[in-house]
mmCIF file of all heavy atoms in Angstrom:
data_model
loop_
_atom_site.group_PDB
_atom_site.id
_atom_site.type_symbol
_atom_site.label_atom_id
_atom_site.label_comp_id
_atom_site.label_asym_id
_atom_site.label_seq_id
_atom_site.Cartn_x
_atom_site.Cartn_y
_atom_site.Cartn_z
ATOM 1 N N ALA A 633 -9.872 -14.990 -37.274
ATOM 2 C CA ALA A 633 -8.749 -14.342 -37.812
ATOM 3 C C ALA A 633 -7.494 -15.250 -37.609
ATOM 4 O O ALA A 633 -7.538 -16.139 -36.862
ATOM 5 C CB ALA A 633 -8.500 -13.023 -37.099
ATOM 6 N N ALA A 634 -6.466 -14.966 -38.478
ATOM 7 C CA ALA A 634 -5.259 -15.821 -38.369
ATOM 8 C C ALA A 634 -4.047 -15.012 -38.717
ATOM 9 O O ALA A 634 -4.145 -13.969 -39.467
ATOM 10 C CB ALA A 634 -5.419 -17.044 -39.251
ATOM 11 N N SER A 635 -2.970 -15.322 -38.059
ATOM 12 C CA SER A 635 -1.659 -14.724 -38.393
ATOM 13 C C SER A 635 -1.129 -15.465 -39.639
ATOM 14 O O SER A 635 -1.603 -16.525 -40.108
ATOM 15 C CB SER A 635 -0.697 -14.750 -37.233
ATOM 16 O OG SER A 635 -0.252 -16.100 -37.149
ATOM 17 N N GLY A 636 0.066 -14.924 -40.086
ATOM 18 C CA GLY A 636 0.783 -15.743 -41.104
ATOM 19 C C GLY A 636 1.671 -16.752 -40.319
ATOM 20 O O GLY A 636 1.728 -16.873 -39.073
ATOM 21 N N SER A 637 2.203 -17.617 -41.125
ATOM 22 C CA SER A 637 3.072 -18.689 -40.496
ATOM 23 C C SER A 637 4.528 -18.211 -40.372
ATOM 24 O O SER A 637 5.044 -17.375 -41.239
ATOM 25 C CB SER A 637 3.027 -19.937 -41.445
ATOM 26 O OG SER A 637 3.786 -20.967 -40.814
ATOM 27 N N ALA A 638 5.174 -18.652 -39.298
ATOM 28 C CA ALA A 638 6.541 -18.194 -39.097
ATOM 29 C C ALA A 638 7.319 -19.208 -38.256
ATOM 30 O O ALA A 638 6.665 -20.161 -37.656
ATOM 31 C CB ALA A 638 6.555 -16.839 -38.376
ATOM 32 N N THR A 639 8.509 -19.144 -38.224
ATOM 33 C CA THR A 639 9.396 -20.165 -37.579
ATOM 34 C C THR A 639 9.732 -19.677 -36.165
ATOM 35 O O THR A 639 10.381 -18.550 -36.000
ATOM 36 C CB THR A 639 10.703 -20.486 -38.355
ATOM 37 O OG1 THR A 639 10.309 -20.925 -39.565
ATOM 38 C CG2 THR A 639 11.568 -21.488 -37.593
ATOM 39 N N VAL A 640 9.352 -20.327 -35.208
ATOM 40 C CA VAL A 640 9.701 -19.976 -33.735
ATOM 41 C C VAL A 640 10.999 -20.683 -33.480
ATOM 42 O O VAL A 640 11.130 -21.881 -33.487
ATOM 43 C CB VAL A 640 8.610 -20.456 -32.812
ATOM 44 C CG1 VAL A 640 8.954 -19.897 -31.332
ATOM 45 C CG2 VAL A 640 7.218 -19.940 -33.219
ATOM 46 N N PRO A 641 12.070 -19.902 -33.243
ATOM 47 C CA PRO A 641 13.446 -20.476 -32.970
ATOM 48 C C PRO A 641 13.387 -21.380 -31.755
ATOM 49 O O PRO A 641 12.604 -21.309 -30.834
ATOM 50 C CB PRO A 641 14.226 -19.309 -32.742
ATOM 51 C CG PRO A 641 13.370 -18.187 -32.301
ATOM 52 C CD PRO A 641 12.052 -18.346 -32.959
ATOM 53 N N ALA A 642 14.346 -22.342 -31.786
ATOM 54 C CA ALA A 642 14.557 -23.228 -30.605
ATOM 55 C C ALA A 642 14.839 -22.413 -29.360
ATOM 56 O O ALA A 642 15.601 -21.371 -29.464
ATOM 57 C CB ALA A 642 15.575 -24.197 -30.806
ATOM 58 N N ASP A 643 14.136 -22.792 -28.276
ATOM 59 C CA ASP A 643 14.433 -22.052 -26.990
ATOM 60 C C ASP A 643 14.111 -20.579 -27.181
ATOM 61 O O ASP A 643 14.868 -19.758 -26.646
ATOM 62 C CB ASP A 643 15.779 -22.282 -26.490
ATOM 63 C CG ASP A 643 15.876 -22.016 -24.996
ATOM 64 O OD1 ASP A 643 14.841 -22.187 -24.324
ATOM 65 O OD2 ASP A 643 16.948 -21.643 -24.497
ATOM 66 N N GLY A 644 13.134 -20.241 -27.957
ATOM 67 C CA GLY A 644 12.919 -18.809 -28.231
ATOM 68 C C GLY A 644 11.385 -18.435 -28.221
ATOM 69 O O GLY A 644 10.521 -19.266 -27.966
ATOM 70 N N VAL A 645 11.172 -17.236 -28.476
ATOM 71 C CA VAL A 645 9.826 -16.602 -28.432
ATOM 72 C C VAL A 645 9.601 -15.749 -29.651
ATOM 73 O O VAL A 645 10.519 -14.998 -30.056
ATOM 74 C CB VAL A 645 9.608 -15.708 -27.232
ATOM 75 C CG1 VAL A 645 8.221 -15.176 -27.104
ATOM 76 C CG2 VAL A 645 9.915 -16.525 -25.903
#
Side-chain angles (χ1 to χ4, degrees):
S635 74
S637 181
T639 300
V640 185
D643 199 30
V645 180

